Amino acid sequence: MTGVFFETGSLFSGPEPDPAGDAGHPDPPARVGFFTDTSVCIGCKACEVACKEWNAIPEDGLTLTGMSYDNTQGLGASTWRHVAFIEQSAPRQVPAESAAPDGRTHLPLAEEDPQRPAGDVRWLMSSDVCKHCTHAACLDVCPTGSLFRTEYGTVVVQEDICNGCGYCVPACPYGVIEQRKDDGRAFKCTMCYDRLGAGQEPACAKACPTDSIQFGPLDELRERAALRVDQLQEASVPEARLYGHDPEDGVGGDGAFFLLLDEPEVYGLPPDPVVTTRDLPAMWKHAGAAALSVAAGAVASFVLPALLRRKGRR
């Protein structure tokens, strides 16, 4: 295993097969997560509504951007699920017969249509959410323990412990966490921690009518996603790719990963995210060396001359 171990044994980067066990949970269950297949997202926003209803999240306004049908605009303290609407020109042609997986309703991306004029548009839709990183910098920098790793491998904010310091906000490489303006506390997706404890799937996955949002053991989801990419690429969708699934990436792999049909930047996702606390061990090492150097300088400048003067008087 590669990675950066600090003297406590915790891991700041690299592959981590058991984040819940590393966080101190004895015999944790299999790590769970989300696989969001954007190729079958229809932009219905049922996930957003279900998330708000189950978690009693306040309304976040109805301001339209003027650039799309997206009214929630992005993830935030009161938007734990966000469906992005991306309008593109020059849609790629997808054979309708082979794009749908077995047993799933056929939802074509852009069917061949000889009547479609050149330069027509296509819509890319994707339901974004907290990635529940394997190496969660938000959790590393939280001074109160408000953010913690659950036994399911997810990352949860305890709103009654958060002191509103805001350290977690810039630490998130995806810009997911936000402080609520009225009280300063930070909020984000909990992956419906209370529902997991009751043996239920998160509300967003339960409400998704096309199985675009799939929930389950992370290893099983990764296998399912790899098969789905193969299906799409065999169906003349070569741009299909996975995002956030690789344990070797800069955050050790995400607990919520995606099948995308274009570059991550198109969906507002960073192309190569890195856990922002990755260099903390090296920084502390350098800080310790600097402190020792200052102490040695003080000894050489003040203590040794004093000892030499005392010895000279004798």
Side-chain angles (χ1 to χ4, degrees):
M1 177 187 300
T2 60
V4 180
F5 284 92
F6 190 54
E7 59 186 7
T8 60
S10 62
L11 197 62
F12 283 89
S13 66
E16 167 55 273
D18 185 17
D22 184 60
H25 295 286
D27 300 322
R31 185 182 180 188
V32 296
F34 287 128
F35 163 46
T36 302
D37 182 351
T38 67
S39 70
V40 292
C41 179
I42 58 175
C44 67
K45 288 181 174 281
C47 53
E48 287 190 15
V49 175
C51 177
K52 277 190 172 293
E53 183 175 5
W54 181 261
N55 294 293
I57 303 173
E59 61 89 18
D60 44 12
L62 294 173
T63 304
L64 293 172
T65 64
M67 300 298 292
S68 79
Y69 294 103
D70 183 1
N71 66 305
T72 47
Q73 303 183 23
L75 296 173
S78 299
T79 307
W80 298 358
R81 269 278 178 190
H82 168 246
V83 179
F85 289 72
I86 301 112
E87 183 177 323
Q88 288 186 327
S89 59
R92 296 172 176 83
Q93 304 299 302
V94 181
E97 295 78 11
S98 54
D102 295 337
R104 185 177 295 174
T105 303
H106 171 63
L107 295 167
L109 305 174
E111 295 184 14
E112 292 186 5
D113 182 1
Q115 303 301 320
R116 185 189 299 276
D120 203 355
V121 299
R122 73 167 179 175
W123 287 94
L124 297 178
M125 300 170 186
S126 173
S127 181
D128 197 9
V129 70
C130 170
K131 313 305 181 292
H132 296 272
C133 305
T134 299
H135 300 290
C138 59
L139 188 155
D140 293 335
V141 301
C142 180
T144 65
S146 171
L147 282 145
F148 73 101
R149 178 81 61 183
T150 73
E151 63 271 35
Y152 305 104
T154 59
V155 178
V156 171
V157 184
Q158 302 173 93
E159 58 187 70
D160 56 334
I161 297 178
C162 178
N163 65 359
C165 69
Y167 293 167
C168 55
V169 175
C172 176
Y174 297 100
V176 167
I177 305 180
E178 185 184 48
Q179 293 173 274
R180 196 163 285 166
K181 293 181 180 178
D182 57 354
D183 62 12
R185 291 179 298 169
F187 292 87
K188 73 171 195 68
C189 162
T190 65
M191 206 178 281
C192 290
Y193 184 46
D194 52 347
R195 291 177 65 94
L196 299 188
Q200 299 177 313
E201 63 180 324
C204 56
K206 182 73 174 179
C208 182
T210 65
D211 277 346
S212 173
I213 302 172
Q214 300 179 35
F215 169 80
L218 199 55
D219 291 339
E220 180 181 323
L221 291 178
R222 286 170 174 161
E223 293 179 3
R224 195 183 306 172
L227 292 174
R228 176 64 176 151
V229 169
D230 291 342
Q231 285 180 327
L232 286 171
Q233 292 184 345
E234 291 173 2
S236 302
V237 190
E239 62 272 27
R241 83 284 310 267
L242 296 179
Y243 175 86
H245 68 296
D246 185 2
E248 299 281 351
D249 68 15
V251 296
D254 292 325
F257 64 99
F258 301 80
L259 187 155
L260 305 179
L261 299 178
D262 209 326
E263 298 294 334
E265 299 95 317
V266 172
Y267 296 84
L269 297 168
D272 189 20
V274 174
V275 59
T276 53
T277 52
R278 179 185 60 178
D279 296 325
L280 274 181
M283 292 170 60
W284 289 332
K285 182 179 179 181
H286 293 314
L292 288 175
S293 299
V294 170
V299 170
S301 300
F302 302 104
V303 179
L304 287 180
L307 292 176
L308 291 175
R309 285 196 296 272
R310 180 180 296 178
K311 185 176 180 181
R313 286 196 293 271
R314 291 178 180 173

